[in-house]
Amino acid sequence: RVLFRSDEIQDNEIMGRVFLKSFYSMGVMKILKKYNVAVIDDDMKSINLIKEEFMKLDKELGLHFITIGYLNPLEYLVEEKEYDFIFIDIDMPKMNGFDLAKKIYAINKKEKIIFMSESFDHILEGYLYRPYGFVLKNHLLALNLKKNVQKVLDILDKEDIYMTLIAQNGYQKISYKSIFYCRLNGRTISIFTSSGIYSKCVSMHTLSNELNQLGDFFRINKSEIVNLNYVKEIKNQQVILKNGTVLMASVRKWLLLRERFCNYRSKVIY
């Protein structure tokens, strides 16, 4: 695995879609949205080239891309990280890009895969795997890359729904998708997200109803709501999140949680 970052961020940072970078200049707070990018290619030069182009897009689009390169596609498959973009080279010796795409879609058919190739030869065949685009590794790479990235960004923006929360420096708008779980804390509710912990002055009942409308949230006990997107497994009333957090479901909620989680996994895979 080859890790690239466009600024100093710890390797063990929790991956998520929204990275907040705040500064005050004439009273204005700037917010950069974070996107995670996987580049799977057996050629280190290609990985470095894609990394350089994303560093340019950081500045050009006013966003923050974290780009991680994999020389071995098998290495990617064993990692439990979530990516907004997955760039896959078609011609790889250990596993070609099409076979890798099939394995990725078997885990989650919603992944945003973009194929890369040095020629047009595989493009027609590639459409059978429902990619979000193709990038030719030639002199037009920068233009092709930007067009495909913008296409996926437009899709992600349409998929995202936001809520307003209380932050340390005032109010903050965050994506519902960045929420790991919520916990009742006295008269307020603490909301744990990929970008930090926020507070919301609302009843547990009201927040539960609000989140239930999105479909992927479940109230596991009287004081906690979990986002099923971030649940790694459930067992013995334990709800184990992908970041290692362990929550406990109530006896009354356990059977219904098992049913909801199984239905959710089936929906994601099929």
Side-chain angles (χ1 to χ4, degrees):
R1 187 183 67 156
V2 185
L3 178 63
F4 299 109
R5 307 231 171 172
S6 56
D7 63 10
E8 297 300 323
I9 297 179
Q10 297 299 319
D11 187 31
N12 62 354
E13 175 194 3
I14 298 171
M15 303 293 272
R17 286 217 172 101
V18 181
F19 171 71
L20 303 178
K21 184 182 277 185
S22 303
F23 71 93
Y24 285 88
S25 175
M26 299 179 65
V28 177
M29 183 173 73
K30 184 179 180 181
I31 302 169
L32 298 184
K33 293 185 70 174
K34 184 187 81 172
Y35 294 93
N36 301 309
V37 182
V39 182
I40 308 165
D41 196 317
D42 62 314
D43 183 4
M44 178 59 76
K45 289 183 179 179
S46 293
I47 291 177
N48 285 334
L49 190 57
I50 297 295
K51 166 240 178 177
E52 291 171 5
E53 291 303 323
F54 269 106
M55 291 178 70
K56 294 176 186 176
L57 289 177
D58 268 4
K59 298 177 181 178
E60 187 176 342
L61 301 179
L63 300 172
H64 181 72
F65 295 100
I66 295 178
T67 308
I68 299 180
Y70 297 88
L71 289 168
N72 185 345
L74 299 177
E75 228 174 76
Y76 169 84
L77 290 173
V78 299
E79 289 223 13
E80 295 183 350
K81 293 183 182 294
E82 294 190 358
Y83 293 96
D84 301 290
F85 303 82
I86 304 175
F87 287 84
I88 302 176
D89 182 41
I90 294 174
D91 300 307
M92 293 186 289
K94 294 186 178 180
M95 180 185 298
N96 70 57
F98 297 147
D99 288 340
L100 177 59
K102 283 193 288 187
K103 290 182 180 294
I104 292 173
Y105 282 139
I107 299 170
N108 186 351
K109 70 176 183 179
K110 294 182 180 179
E111 295 286 17
K112 310 295 189 293
I113 290 176
I114 297 171
F115 285 128
M116 301 184 296
S117 179
E118 293 182 351
S119 71
F120 290 95
D121 296 346
H122 303 294
I123 288 182
L124 289 178
E125 183 183 356
Y127 277 110
L128 297 174
Y129 299 88
R130 310 183 308 280
Y132 281 76
F134 287 89
V135 171
L136 283 172
K137 296 193 285 186
N138 56 20
H139 65 287
L140 296 176
L141 183 143
L143 178 62
N144 289 333
L145 181 72
K146 183 180 177 181
K147 287 173 63 177
N148 281 281
V149 167
Q150 192 60 64
K151 177 182 177 181
V152 175
L153 287 174
D154 291 342
I155 293 170
L156 292 174
D157 283 343
K158 290 176 182 177
E159 290 178 349
D160 261 348
I161 306 173
Y162 295 88
M163 72 187 304
T164 302
L165 300 172
I166 300 173
Q168 186 176 1
N169 297 315
Y171 290 94
Q172 179 63 58
K173 188 175 78 168
I174 69 163
S175 166
Y176 280 96
K177 290 185 177 182
S178 71
I179 298 173
F180 296 151
Y181 66 98
C182 310
R183 175 178 291 157
L184 183 62
N185 234 337
R187 296 184 178 180
T188 62
I189 293 177
S190 296
I191 301 184
F192 297 78
T193 77
S194 59
S195 59
I197 303 172
Y198 302 89
S199 296
K200 189 173 179 70
C201 297
V202 64
S203 72
M204 200 65 177
H205 177 73
T206 300
L207 181 61
S208 180
N209 287 340
E210 179 181 344
L211 295 176
N212 279 339
Q213 293 179 14
L214 301 175
D216 293 335
F217 290 85
F218 186 83
R219 187 172 179 176
I220 61 173
N221 54 48
K222 289 184 178 180
S223 59
E224 291 175 325
I225 302 169
V226 70
N227 185 346
L228 297 179
N229 285 289
Y230 293 103
V231 175
K232 180 180 180 181
E233 62 177 321
I234 59 173
K235 60 180 181 181
N236 302 324
Q237 290 182 235
Q238 290 184 330
V239 181
I240 304 170
L241 305 189
K242 293 176 182 178
N243 65 3
T245 300
V246 179
L247 308 174
M248 292 298 298
S250 66
V251 174
R252 190 170 67 87
K253 293 281 189 175
W254 176 242
L255 290 179
L256 185 55
L257 171 62
R258 287 175 58 186
E259 180 182 345
R260 277 288 304 277
F261 187 59
C262 287
N263 289 339
Y264 166 75
R265 292 293 295 271
S266 298
K267 178 184 70 173
V268 169
I269 294 174
Y270 299 108

